Amino acid sequence: MKRQNVRTLALIMCTFTYLLVGAAVFDALESEEETAERRRLEAKSQELKSKYNLSAESYRELEWVVLKLKPHKAGVQWKFAGSFYFAITVITTIGYGHAAPSTDGGKVFCMVYALLGIPLTLVMFQSLGERINTFVKYLLHRIKKCLGMRRAEVSMANMVTIGFFSCISTLCIGAAAFSYYEHWSFFHAYYYCFITLTTIGFGDYVALQKDEALQNKPQYVAFSFVYILTGLTVIGAFLNLVVLRFMTMNAEDEKRDAEHRALLTRNGQASSVHAMDTGPAAPAAAVGSGGGGGGGGGGGFRNVYAEVLHFQSMCSCLWYKSREKLQYSIPMIIPRDLSTSDTCVEQSHSSPGHCPETPSNRCFCNARRSAISSVSTGLHSLTAFQGLMKRRSSV
């Protein structure tokens, strides 16, 4: 079974197991409290009916009025400030539920607005998070160099640590502010910030819903809008750093498998041509057919380096990607001046021995023949370059 299928099945099983564990824990924590709360509310309801002599119908009508009045405690919800707040909760998928369109036109526009706004917002936060990560990585690299550290490279662990503490700091700042403005405890304010910035949006705690805050506290309204958007950006940067790498693993594996199959196909074509052709032109023909199998005008030089990477052994004078990148893909290794090298190969096909030796094309170890070790007998397309066929130790 392919690695991608195994990973997908494992993720499905882990997700359902996680759901079962979560259901069991919430059942144990919340079910008894819910039952007790329901009994208290029913007792209070009977007490009010008896005290004010309310019939069941009158009591239901009173309930309906109280529920409908709840959103209006913040003042008028659908003026510009309230509408802007609602638009934020729509396109960020927070969806508190504190307000909802009541007209058919408003409902239709809400669906169309969300259909266009949600993808736009996701892409915006994704792009912004990637830019923030790049800037932080550059800044951390400069700080390490200024401090004179021997290894100035910024590792993944460094970035994850900074992202984690940035998220915690953002949540703590918001919790302190909302606990002051909303008169919540710090824990409840922290809970509200977490539910908001993760876009869960239960709606049990909603800011700007007391004392007509939307109309009477413009500074608090502005802070709330800026905090939500900034906090979502910070969370988005952290998710971009940690989660998206795993989200693209299947696509990377598919790409690597396709490159591997193409590489094996080129090797097979080069091997068949090498076996059929004889004479002094046979090596050049084998390289030419390998390059053609790889897609045409790239020349045989590209296939040589693809094979070198496949067997993880290469000439000491070539530029290549870092070991970390080689773990996730099999790219085509390109020398510092591929165009010059390919030109040299093409000239050697037409007029052997007339390739100019410049500093850029001297990379085939003309001065010091540091060649690839004979890892496999399947590197048939390397026969065109006799200097590369000598057995040397790999780098």
Side-chain angles (χ1 to χ4, degrees):
M1 184 179 291
K2 292 180 66 175
R3 175 171 35 191
Q4 296 91 311
N5 296 335
V6 173
R7 183 186 297 124
T8 301
L9 290 175
L11 287 172
I12 292 173
M13 294 179 63
C14 289
T15 301
F16 276 99
T17 303
Y18 196 69
L19 287 172
L20 293 174
V21 171
V25 172
F26 284 124
D27 185 4
L29 293 176
E30 297 291 336
S31 59
E32 293 184 3
E33 178 64 22
E34 179 193 25
T35 303
E37 181 68 14
R38 181 176 179 180
R39 289 172 181 170
R40 285 195 296 268
L41 290 175
E42 287 178 349
K44 188 66 176 179
S45 170
Q46 292 297 328
E47 179 184 345
L48 290 174
K49 288 179 182 178
S50 302
K51 183 177 180 179
Y52 296 103
N53 196 21
L54 296 172
S55 63
E57 183 67 25
S58 299
Y59 185 78
R60 281 194 296 270
E61 185 176 354
L62 181 62
E63 272 185 329
W64 181 84
V65 172
V66 170
L67 291 174
K68 288 293 184 181
L69 280 174
K70 184 178 179 180
H72 298 283
K73 289 181 179 180
V76 181
Q77 289 281 359
W78 294 107
K79 290 297 183 182
F80 184 80
S83 299
F84 193 85
Y85 192 27
F86 176 77
I88 290 176
T89 64
V90 170
I91 65 173
T92 59
T93 69
I94 295 175
Y96 290 129
H98 67 290
S102 57
T103 64
D104 292 340
K107 294 174 182 176
V108 171
F109 178 75
C110 182
M111 290 187 287
V112 176
Y113 186 73
L115 191 64
L116 299 176
I118 291 174
L120 174 64
T121 306
L122 291 176
V123 171
M124 186 269 291
F125 281 126
Q126 160 70 17
S127 179
L128 192 56
E130 188 269 334
R131 290 292 88 202
I132 290 175
N133 289 333
T134 302
F135 175 73
V136 171
K137 188 173 183 179
Y138 168 78
L139 196 61
L140 190 59
H141 177 71
R142 298 295 300 177
I143 291 174
K144 284 188 173 184
K145 289 187 69 175
C146 292
L147 294 176
M149 300 180 67
R150 294 180 59 186
R151 299 188 62 180
E153 294 82 5
V154 180
S155 65
M156 187 68 169
N158 297 146
M159 294 297 295
V160 170
T161 302
I162 292 175
F164 176 76
F165 282 106
S166 298
C167 293
I168 297 298
S169 302
T170 302
L171 291 172
C172 289
I173 292 171
F178 286 112
S179 63
Y180 171 77
Y181 281 111
E182 297 288 341
H183 307 293
W184 295 332
S185 67
F186 183 85
F187 172 74
H188 288 158
Y190 190 93
Y191 168 80
Y192 162 76
C193 293
F194 181 87
I195 295 300
T196 296
L197 298 186
T198 54
T199 70
I200 297 173
F202 287 132
D204 51 346
Y205 288 88
V206 182
L208 303 174
Q209 298 299 295
K210 293 180 180 178
D211 305 323
E212 298 188 352
L214 287 171
Q215 281 74 43
N216 298 332
K217 299 179 180 179
Q219 295 88 354
Y220 178 39
V221 172
F223 167 79
S224 298
F225 294 167
V226 171
Y227 175 78
I228 290 175
L229 295 176
T230 305
L232 288 172
T233 302
V234 174
I235 299 296
F238 183 68
L239 294 179
N240 176 284
L241 188 68
V242 178
V243 177
L244 291 182
R245 184 168 185 174
F246 295 96
M247 292 175 64
T248 59
M249 286 178 67
N250 280 347
E252 291 175 352
D253 285 346
E254 291 286 355
K255 181 180 179 180
R256 184 174 66 249
D257 291 345
E259 291 174 348
H260 181 64
R261 287 193 297 269
L263 178 62
L264 293 180
T265 302
R266 288 196 297 269
N267 285 343
Q269 291 175 352
S271 176
S272 61
V273 172
H274 178 72
M276 293 173 59
D277 291 344
T278 58
V287 175
S289 65
F301 203 76
R302 297 176 184 271
N303 302 316
V304 170
Y305 284 105
E307 291 176 347
V308 167
L309 177 61
H310 177 61
F311 291 100
Q312 298 182 354
S313 174
M314 62 172 49
C315 174
S316 60
C317 62
L318 300 181
W319 174 82
Y320 54 96
K321 291 190 175 182
S322 65
R323 183 181 302 174
E324 180 180 356
K325 292 183 179 179
L326 292 179
Q327 286 180 324
Y328 301 101
S329 63
I330 303 183
M332 298 289 288
I333 290 298
I334 306 297
R336 285 189 176 92
D337 192 354
L338 179 59
S339 59
T340 307
S341 302
D342 282 339
T343 304
C344 177
V345 174
E346 292 173 0
Q347 290 177 357
S348 67
H349 290 171
S350 58
S351 57
H354 291 83
C355 179
E357 184 171 324
T358 62
S360 61
N361 62 24
R362 196 176 295 154
C363 125
F364 259 113
C365 309
N366 291 333
R368 301 177 347 186
R369 294 185 176 275
S370 173
I372 315 162
S373 63
S374 53
V375 179
S376 169
T377 58
L379 301 180
H380 302 294
S381 63
L382 294 180
T383 56
F385 308 99
Q386 298 300 324
L388 294 179
M389 295 303 295
K390 293 190 176 185
R391 181 180 180 87
R392 291 265 182 110
S393 59
S394 304
V395 177

